[in-house]
Amino acid sequence: MKLIGSYTSPFVRKISILLLEKGITFEFVNEQPYQAETGVAQYNPLGKVPALVTDDGETWFDSPIIAEYIELLGIAPAMVPREPKAALMVKQIEALADGIMDAGLVSVREQARPAAQQSEAELVRQREKISRSLDMCEQLLQDGKISTDTVNLATIAIACAIGYLNFRRVSPGWCVDRPLLVKLAETLFQRESFARTEPPKA
Ligand SMILES: N[C@@H](CCC(=O)N[C@@H](CS)C(=O)NCC(=O)O)C(=O)O
C-alpha cells in the first residue's frame, strides 16, 4: 500500500506509526499539500494529507478513516479496543489530539502570514483550544482512562500532537503542570516507530 503524505504532517505521522507498529509494509509517497504543483488532490479532493492507497487501488482519507481501515485489517497489536464503548472513547481521544494538531497547524499558518495581516486574537483562540485540550489529556491520564505506557490509537495521536507542538514551537510551555502528559510523550518518543517518523529538522 502507498501512504501519500509529507514528513512534517502530524496526521501523516500518526498513520505511519500505526503501520510501523503493526509491521505493515508501505511505500511513502512524499507530497507537499501546500505547494502549487502538489499532486495530493488526485488522492483526496480536499487536497489534504494523509491519503492511503491500498494494493486493490482503493483510496482512503482522512486520518481517522485511514486508522479505522488499518484496524479492519485485523493485524496485531490492536490499536482500538474491541468493546464498542471503549473503542468510541479511544476515537474521541484521537479526535481531541487531531484537534490539537489542527489548532497547531492554524497557528503556524497564521504566523507565516505577513506580520501586518496576522491576527493576535486568532492566535490566542487557537492557543486556548490547545491548552484546554492538553488539560483534558492530563485529566484522562489522571483518571486512568489512558496510562502513560498505553500504546493505542489515543496515546499515539496525543504523542503525535505533542511532537508537532515541539517541532513547530507552538505552545512551548505545554509541559508545565502536566507531568503525566510529559511522561506519556517521553515514553512513546522512545519507540522505534516514533524515532523513524521524526519530522525533519528545520
Ligand atoms: N482531518 C484531516 C486533517 C489533515 C490535514 O489538515 N493535513 C494538512 C497537513 S498537516 C494538509 O494536508 N493541509 C493542506 C490543506 O489544508 O490544503 C486528517 O485527519 O487527515
Side-chain angles (χ1 to χ4, degrees):
M1 64 180 79
K2 284 195 290 195
L3 176 61
I4 321 301
S6 77
Y7 294 111
T8 55
S9 165
F11 303 97
V12 172
R13 188 179 192 193
K14 178 180 71 178
I15 298 303
S16 300
I17 288 170
L18 292 175
L19 292 167
L20 289 169
E21 289 285 343
K22 286 176 182 283
I24 300 173
T25 336
F26 63 101
E27 178 192 343
F28 192 91
V29 180
N30 192 13
E31 284 281 357
Q32 304 304 316
Y34 292 103
Q35 286 180 4
E37 67 279 11
T38 179
V40 171
Q42 65 181 290
Y43 304 103
N44 175 358
L46 297 169
K48 295 187 182 194
V49 291
L52 187 81
V53 182
T54 69
D55 294 341
D56 299 335
E58 291 170 327
T59 303
W60 298 98
F61 60 85
D62 54 0
S63 69
I65 299 294
I66 299 174
E68 287 224 34
Y69 171 80
I70 293 171
E71 213 49 30
L72 284 180
L73 298 174
I75 298 170
M79 290 294 168
V80 177
R82 269 175 173 271
E83 199 276 309
K85 187 119 183 257
L88 200 57
M89 171 59 75
V90 162
K91 288 176 196 173
Q92 174 159 274
I93 300 172
E94 179 195 21
L96 182 68
D98 285 358
I100 296 173
M101 299 177 200
D102 281 326
L105 198 65
V106 171
S107 306
V108 170
R109 303 282 299 163
E110 187 66 26
Q111 282 170 318
R113 302 173 78 207
Q117 289 171 27
Q118 286 180 29
S119 161
E120 183 55 28
E122 184 57 30
L123 286 169
V124 169
R125 224 169 71 83
Q126 298 303 325
R127 257 203 305 274
E128 285 172 354
K129 285 178 196 286
I130 293 171
S131 178
R132 285 192 304 263
S133 305
L134 291 171
D135 283 345
M136 184 167 178
C137 292
E138 182 73 16
Q139 194 63 50
L140 287 163
L141 285 158
Q142 258 176 42
D143 295 346
K145 301 272 199 257
I146 42 177
S147 84
T148 54
D149 50 17
T150 305
V151 180
N152 67 11
L153 178 59
T155 55
I156 288 172
I158 292 173
C160 287
I162 290 174
Y164 186 70
L165 298 182
N166 287 344
F167 168 57
R168 293 297 194 196
R169 297 185 180 84
V170 177
S171 303
W174 69 264
C175 43
V176 177
D177 294 334
R178 297 189 184 105
L180 295 173
L181 211 45
V182 171
K183 178 126 189 286
L184 173 72
E186 280 173 358
T187 308
L188 289 195
F189 289 169
Q190 281 169 20
R191 298 183 74 80
E192 194 190 337
S193 59
F194 274 82
R196 285 178 59 184
T197 55
E198 243 189 73
K201 303 270 178 271

